[in-house]
Amino acid sequence: MAKAAAGPDNTELVIITGLSGSGKGTVLKALEDLGYYSVDNLPLDLIPKFADLAKSAPNIRRAAIVVDIREGAALDRFPALFKKIRQQVPARLIFLEADDATLVRRFSETRRPHPLGTGQSVGASVRRERERLAPIRALADPIINTSKFNVHELRETIHRAFGEKSGSPKI
């Protein structure tokens, strides 16, 4: 399916998802810097309404949202929802991932708990999250492995890929 470029008659929606600790927040901020209207952790059931509002708002041509494991069991409905949204508005799904060891190190450095809880090791949580997100990963284009990126390199990658005002992103 060809992606239409954002213009006066349409809106581009970028949905960012992936593993916790892979850089979703960094990508969202990078897109915001490029003029995307950005929302983190929008409840799944509000995404179709958000897409519709963004499409009809005269001042929003590009929007980006983050959807991730914090959504819980509702996340199972995301693949069907994404297919429906793509019928409303040109949409891309970016999936961010990193090697297990990299994600465990990042959680250790930030001292934040994994969103799946503290009842198991971070490594076990990462593996469980990877399994839960596999159906969503299969829909994504692009899939970006951030294991070797620092924050600045990831931002630069997004700026290069999405910074042009016309045409398709170059990832």
Side-chain angles (χ1 to χ4, degrees):
M1 173 190 252
K3 313 289 187 297
D9 296 327
N10 60 34
T11 297
E12 173 190 21
L13 176 62
V14 176
I15 300 175
I16 305 156
T17 191
L19 298 168
S20 300
S22 63
K24 295 182 302 293
T26 298
V27 169
L28 185 68
K29 288 175 190 168
L31 290 173
E32 187 173 28
D33 290 346
L34 292 171
Y36 284 73
Y37 185 87
S38 302
V39 179
D40 189 9
N41 200 23
L42 186 68
L44 198 68
D45 293 328
L46 294 181
I47 295 173
K49 184 66 173 172
F50 176 81
D52 189 48
L53 289 170
K55 183 178 178 179
S56 63
N59 60 333
I60 298 176
R61 290 292 130 226
R62 302 190 299 172
I65 60 175
V66 171
V67 174
D68 60 30
I69 201 71
R70 295 174 288 180
E71 193 60 34
L75 200 57
D76 295 338
R77 294 183 286 127
F78 181 80
L81 182 77
F82 180 64
K83 290 174 185 173
K84 182 178 177 183
I85 288 169
R86 290 182 90 179
Q87 294 172 358
Q88 284 181 258
V89 64
R92 289 184 56 106
L93 180 62
I94 300 174
F95 190 92
L96 301 175
E97 62 187 8
D99 303 331
D100 287 5
T102 300
L103 295 172
V104 169
R105 187 192 82 240
R106 289 175 182 170
F107 274 99
S108 173
E109 289 171 352
T110 63
R111 296 188 177 150
R112 296 195 68 210
H114 190 280
L116 291 180
T118 57
Q120 59 188 348
S121 70
V122 172
S125 293
V126 167
R127 287 187 294 278
R128 194 167 118 222
E129 180 180 25
R130 194 179 298 277
E131 290 171 11
R132 291 263 339 272
L133 294 177
I136 296 170
R137 183 185 187 277
L139 298 172
D141 178 30
I143 297 169
I144 304 171
N145 187 316
T146 66
S147 297
K148 303 293 184 199
F149 289 139
N150 65 35
V151 172
H152 307 291
E153 292 165 335
L154 181 55
R155 288 175 63 83
E156 180 60 30
T157 297
I158 297 303
H159 280 215
R160 276 195 319 268
F162 288 86
E164 295 185 18
K165 297 289 183 195
S166 62
S168 298
K170 294 169 179 52
I171 290 185

